Amino acid sequence: MVEKGIGAHIPRREDFRLLTGAGKYADDMRADGQVYGYALRAYHAHARLRSIDVTEAKKAPGVLAVLTGADYAADGLKGIPHGAMTVKPEDHTVPCFGQADGKPAFSAPNIPIVCDKIHHIGEIVAFVIADTLQRARDAGELIEVDYEVLPAVTRGMEAMKPGAPVVWDEQPGNIAFDGLHGDHAGAEQAFRNAAHVVEEEFPFNRVANAQMEPRACLAEYTAEGRFILHAGSQGVHRLKTNASVVFSCDPSMIRVLTRDTGGGFGPRSHLYPEYVLAMWAARKLGRPVKWNSDRSEAFLSDYQARDVTIKGSLALDANGKFLALKETIYSNVGGNCVSYVPAANGSRIATTVYKTPFLGMHAIGILSNTLPSVNYRGAGRPQAMLVMERLIDLAADKLGMDRIELRRRNLIAIADFPFKQAGGLTYDCGEFEKNMDRCMEFIDWKGYPARREEVIKRGMLSGIGLANYIETPVGAPIERSNILVRTDADKVDVIVGTQSGGQGHETSFAQVIESWLGVPMDDVNLITGDSDIVIEGGGTHSDRSIRMAGYVMVKASEQIIEKGKKIAAHLLEVAATDIQFGKGQFTVGGTDRSVSLFEAARAAATDKVPEELRGPLAGDAKFVGRIPAYPNGCAAAEVEIDPDTGVVEIKRYVCIDDVGRVVNPMIVDGQTHGGIVQGVGQVLTESVIHDADGQILTGSFMDYGMPRADMFPEFKVENNEVITKGNPLGVKGGGEAGTTGALAVMMNAILDALKPLGITRFDMPATPGRVWQAIQARKTLN
């Protein structure tokens, strides 16, 4: 490893560009002659579209077109193929859920503009294009829509009850999927033999994906009949492929460009309806069409997350050994079937880091009149961690056992690896007990009783919690990298199919290239986000970026080194086996005779080398398949609760993470900090609230409780690098570490504080009002 290569703690080189306003986000894009699109949205959560009159809107000043669902159907366009359950049954790492009658999971047509029925609030009923955005909005107010309003249902558990409003006429009962995973017979037998059983129900509040950059797009249609779409995304190829289905064209006729993206977190992996409508309008008008969302519109249109209820039960023997885990996941997938990934992820990782011989998992997807609920930072794993960690604390109370000792008795030990857990995954490595011990040392677990006494004397409630966690990052099973050693300058171009949403790829990827090729990272040019240049790639999600991109970048670099050795051997008149490579130099072993990487590249562009060695000094590596890895860790939190106000204050928060080899500690720590805040936000303040008619009551930051910096102490984070052999870099992934354990550790700490009052269950979010009400209710009972 070289000075600024893998492991170097250096600032992100892209930050100066972004902080000085030189970033290129979707809303920064402009085109000559562009016009503006405005989406008129349904203000009912459930209704039939009786009629829509756009006559006056079309006459409005500056209006170029008003498009409706009838126009969309007339043009023969298809729905967006989100691929809600694209997992194949033979992929043993992922549960495949169909329906109870054996049919595939329900997949809605996903038409981006309403033709007949509204399934959730905010669906688009008309798309207005005008020469200014304000004129498009003004024209939208002239559109007359006649709705037949229908009863709405927004809660998943309510939507599956007999007599509930039917969201999709094609799917009576509102069950999108109903699947089993694990060994149910073995689990049932284990429960019959158990000395102790604990069970609880865990509702998870719905959260909004509130990334810094609101969504926007610019669509063009060229004279050659090609679409060009500029949009913030987590990977251009998914958008390109899905759009080609919508327009029934060859994918080569679509170019998608993503420069910078101000936050992704999962929901921005998808092709959104507005992007399709802008592309369609650009084709119809022969003009570039711009659309952008404001923050209030985002609450009505951006995909949301987390909305599940899990019923869990844990069986233990008389000594506290885990025998089996049973769970039923009720996943509120919303009004459109965009992603069922969270339920699949939660199903396979449910037993987490503990030796639990049997798992009985039942996952039910439920349609409702809400925005689609999709993959969001952690995608099912934070929920799984919370269920297991809360059940363990409840079991410790029931058995009269120390909660740390109960965990210690059941943790997977180093000697157990490779370990095949009950969900079907095989963990390759980890030091779970070491993580827990270091985490307890980090937060001074032994000193907590004294701190608690001091807090109690002040009339406050005090609690401490701990949670172990593990992830299952898999992601899209394809990645490719093309690397070119340039001859016009001492630079290296690296093309790769991932996409930064703020994670620091320009820095960490360059560090990998510096380590492998010996090129100073400042001379590495990372190229992403253009589907005409990036031939293939799976995008960025599921902790896959450095794991998948790192793999193909290393393989492409090795191709360059291998060819470079042959070129150097010819130039230095020695055998290729005599050539060694390091720090950017091809050297004859035992001598000072050498040829640099760039000298070799320039020689290959001339007749100084044999014909078979001529041409660009480049590498092209592609990988198709799975590169599993299992980032893991432990978090601990200490909280104080004011019983008079219900305010929860975090006094200490620490975590130990094993993300495999750390490419850049500063970037990993930053990702961990952001992930903690995102997870804690769901615990303390964030929640999408609907009224009885399906209206969103938390439609702005005045109502939706985003976490703030003053809510948090200084985080203490540390990395325990356990190198995986599953990829050449030894990395596991660090993008979701902070979030995955945050829900569990915070709820364990809060309930530890509330336990002296007899409160053993509390549902998120723990807002001051809700905590105060729970405390007052106990006082009334007592």
Side-chain angles (χ1 to χ4, degrees):
M1 305 306 172
V2 291
E3 184 179 353
K4 290 186 178 180
I6 293 172
H9 192 288
I10 55 178
R12 306 190 326 172
R13 63 178 189 170
E14 55 264 64
D15 284 351
F16 180 82
R17 173 175 63 84
L18 299 176
L19 292 172
T20 56
K24 290 292 185 182
Y25 296 91
D27 195 36
D28 293 322
M29 306 310 297
R30 299 288 186 272
D32 292 339
Q34 74 180 30
V35 292
Y36 299 84
Y38 168 72
L40 179 67
R41 301 183 183 278
Y43 47 82
H44 298 292
H46 197 199
R48 296 194 188 278
L49 187 61
R50 285 175 171 160
S51 65
I52 181 167
D53 187 349
V54 300
T55 306
E56 294 304 313
K58 286 183 175 181
K59 297 177 184 177
V63 171
L64 302 173
V66 181
L67 304 175
T68 66
D71 299 318
Y72 193 91
D75 280 5
L77 303 185
K78 297 180 181 177
I80 301 172
H82 289 298
M85 287 295 278
T86 58
V87 177
K88 297 180 180 179
E90 57 266 26
D91 184 350
H92 69 280
T93 64
V94 183
C96 186
F97 299 136
Q99 299 184 55
D101 59 5
K103 295 180 181 178
F106 177 67
S107 184
N110 292 321
I111 304 298
I113 188 167
V114 175
C115 294
D116 52 7
K117 189 181 182 187
I118 290 92
H119 303 93
H120 63 78
I121 201 82
E123 280 201 274
I124 301 169
V125 296
F127 195 64
V128 183
I129 305 94
D131 57 357
T132 71
L133 178 57
Q134 189 57 54
R135 282 180 162 180
R137 287 176 171 167
D138 290 344
E141 294 182 2
L142 301 175
I143 298 173
E144 296 185 5
V145 185
D146 184 16
Y147 296 100
E148 177 191 349
V149 181
L150 302 172
V153 58
T154 60
R155 296 180 180 273
M157 300 290 280
E158 297 295 321
M160 64 184 296
K161 291 181 178 179
V166 176
V167 178
W168 282 84
D169 298 338
E170 300 88 338
Q171 196 69 8
N174 296 329
I175 302 300
F177 63 83
D178 186 336
L180 303 176
H181 183 60
D183 183 347
H184 285 259
E188 290 295 341
Q189 184 61 46
F191 268 79
R192 285 192 289 270
N193 296 335
H196 305 282
V197 171
V198 290
E199 56 187 1
E200 187 58 275
E201 181 174 301
F202 304 93
F204 290 82
N205 40 323
R206 176 175 282 247
V207 298
N209 180 36
Q211 70 281 339
M212 289 181 68
E213 176 203 7
R215 288 190 300 112
C217 73
L218 173 65
E220 303 175 70
Y221 190 72
T222 71
E224 296 75 29
R226 291 192 79 202
F227 291 100
I228 301 176
L229 174 67
H230 302 264
S233 77
Q234 293 177 237
V236 294
H237 280 284
R238 182 171 187 177
L239 273 62
K240 172 180 176 174
T241 301
N242 286 355
S244 71
V245 174
V246 172
F247 292 101
S248 301
C249 67
D250 190 275
S252 64
M253 301 307 293
I254 296 175
R255 181 184 185 187
V256 179
L257 297 107
T258 295
R259 301 306 186 195
D260 293 308
T261 298
F265 311 121
R268 297 190 85 167
S269 298
H270 304 283
L271 179 67
Y272 275 85
E274 297 87 357
Y275 306 166
V276 171
L277 298 182
M279 294 170 71
W280 175 40
R283 185 174 71 176
K284 291 182 77 70
L285 297 174
R287 301 273 298 272
V289 176
K290 180 76 174 289
W291 172 85
N292 65 282
S293 168
D294 59 30
R295 186 61 66 179
S296 293
E297 188 175 13
F299 280 100
L300 297 174
S301 62
D302 287 9
Y303 299 147
Q304 298 173 347
R306 296 284 196 248
D307 192 351
V308 300
T309 295
I310 301 177
K311 294 182 178 179
S313 53
L314 179 66
L316 306 91
D317 70 12
N319 297 315
K321 290 293 185 69
F322 300 168
L323 301 177
L325 175 70
K326 292 196 300 185
E327 288 187 14
T328 301
I329 299 176
Y330 300 93
S331 180
N332 182 357
V333 300
N336 249 336
C337 311
V338 175
S339 175
Y340 296 158
V341 167
N345 284 346
S347 295
R348 57 184 173 164
I349 201 67
T351 58
T352 75
V353 297
Y354 302 101
K355 289 182 278 192
T356 311
F358 295 101
L359 171 67
M361 177 63 62
H362 186 189
I364 302 172
I366 310 161
L367 299 161
S368 72
N369 298 118
T370 61
L371 280 158
S373 180
V374 301
N375 44 308
Y376 176 74
R377 201 169 191 172
R381 297 132 182 156
Q383 298 94 298
M385 301 307 120
L386 184 146
V387 172
M388 190 63 165
E389 293 295 320
R390 282 301 306 142
L391 288 174
I392 293 173
D393 272 16
L394 291 171
D397 288 342
K398 185 170 185 176
L399 274 65
M401 184 183 296
D402 178 76
R403 50 185 162 159
I404 301 300
E405 175 58 27
L406 183 56
R407 286 171 169 82
R408 199 179 302 279
R409 290 188 186 186
N410 291 282
L411 279 171
I412 300 166
I414 294 175
D416 296 325
F417 292 107
F419 184 84
K420 185 173 183 179
Q421 45 90 289
L425 302 173
T426 299
Y427 302 155
D428 61 333
C429 62
E431 296 177 348
F432 305 148
E433 188 169 14
K434 180 179 178 181
N435 293 341
M436 186 172 73
D437 288 340
R438 177 57 180 146
C439 193
M440 293 173 65
E441 179 184 348
F442 224 12
I443 203 168
D444 185 19
W445 192 274
K446 291 182 179 179
Y448 173 69
R451 296 195 299 274
R452 186 171 196 160
E453 286 301 315
E454 186 274 329
V455 172
I456 292 173
K457 288 178 181 178
R458 292 191 280 109
M460 306 286 278
L461 302 172
S462 177
I464 193 169
L466 179 141
N468 293 300
Y469 50 90
I470 192 166
E471 303 171 61
T472 58
V474 178
I478 184 171
E479 196 51 69
R480 186 169 181 175
S481 180
N482 307 88
I483 301 178
L484 172 67
V485 182
R486 289 167 52 181
T487 58
D488 62 330
D490 288 358
K491 305 283 185 180
V492 171
D493 288 342
V494 178
I495 301 171
V496 70
T498 61
Q499 182 66 48
S500 177
Q503 303 96 319
H505 290 185
E506 292 174 44
T507 302
S508 56
F509 286 17
Q511 288 180 259
V512 172
I513 298 302
E514 178 163 338
S515 291
W516 245 260
L517 294 181
V519 177
M521 60 176 293
D522 291 337
D523 294 329
V524 177
N525 179 33
L526 180 65
I527 301 170
T528 64
D530 185 339
S531 64
D532 275 7
I533 299 174
V534 180
I535 301 172
E536 294 175 293
T540 293
H541 54 273
S542 304
D543 270 355
R544 76 183 296 281
S545 292
I546 196 66
R547 178 170 42 91
M548 297 289 281
Y551 181 91
V552 291
M553 285 192 298
V554 166
K555 294 301 180 184
S557 297
E558 289 174 346
Q559 293 173 16
I560 290 171
I561 294 169
E562 186 63 26
K563 182 178 179 180
K565 284 182 177 180
K566 295 176 182 178
I567 295 170
H570 179 81
L571 295 175
L572 297 170
E573 299 180 333
V574 297
T577 54
D578 293 333
I579 299 294
Q580 299 173 352
F581 181 76
K583 296 186 178 182
Q585 298 287 325
F586 297 98
T587 305
V588 179
T591 77
D592 60 358
R593 298 173 62 212
S594 66
V595 172
S596 75
L597 179 71
F598 296 103
E599 288 172 337
R602 284 189 280 271
T606 69
D607 58 3
K608 294 180 181 179
V609 298
E611 187 173 349
E612 65 270 17
L613 296 179
R614 295 176 193 169
L617 184 53
D620 180 358
K622 176 180 176 179
F623 180 82
V624 177
R626 303 289 187 186
I627 304 179
Y630 302 98
N632 60 87
C634 183
E638 188 174 326
V639 302
E640 288 184 15
I641 300 177
D642 185 340
D644 294 329
T645 66
V647 171
V648 177
E649 182 181 359
I650 307 172
K651 306 302 291 186
R652 300 184 182 200
Y653 195 110
V654 307
C655 62
I656 308 296
D657 284 302
D658 168 16
V659 301
R661 178 170 281 117
V662 177
V663 174
N664 186 317
M666 179 181 288
I667 289 177
V668 170
D669 289 352
Q671 285 289 296
T672 302
H673 290 179
I676 292 170
V677 171
Q678 212 157 354
V680 173
Q682 180 173 6
V683 175
L684 295 183
T685 59
E686 295 187 53
S687 189
V688 176
I689 306 297
H690 300 86
D691 69 9
D693 297 321
Q695 296 291 331
I696 295 177
L697 302 181
T698 49
S700 75
F701 286 152
M702 294 291 289
D703 306 295
Y704 185 82
M706 286 293 290
R708 299 189 304 272
D710 62 3
M711 292 169 51
F712 297 92
E714 181 178 353
F715 301 130
K716 295 176 68 175
V717 301
E718 189 173 277
N719 292 302
N720 176 25
E721 291 184 271
V722 181
I723 309 303
T724 177
K725 296 180 180 179
N727 62 80
L729 292 181
V731 299
K732 297 178 181 178
E736 297 175 342
T739 302
T740 303
L743 277 61
V745 70
M746 283 298 298
M747 290 308 297
N748 276 347
I750 290 169
L751 282 160
D752 185 55
L754 296 174
K755 186 165 59 175
L757 303 180
I759 300 173
T760 59
R761 172 179 170 177
F762 187 88
D763 300 334
M764 299 182 293
T767 59
R770 299 183 77 248
V771 173
W772 182 85
Q773 288 175 340
I775 293 172
Q776 297 308 306
R778 290 306 304 178
K779 287 181 178 179
T780 301
L781 289 175
N782 294 334

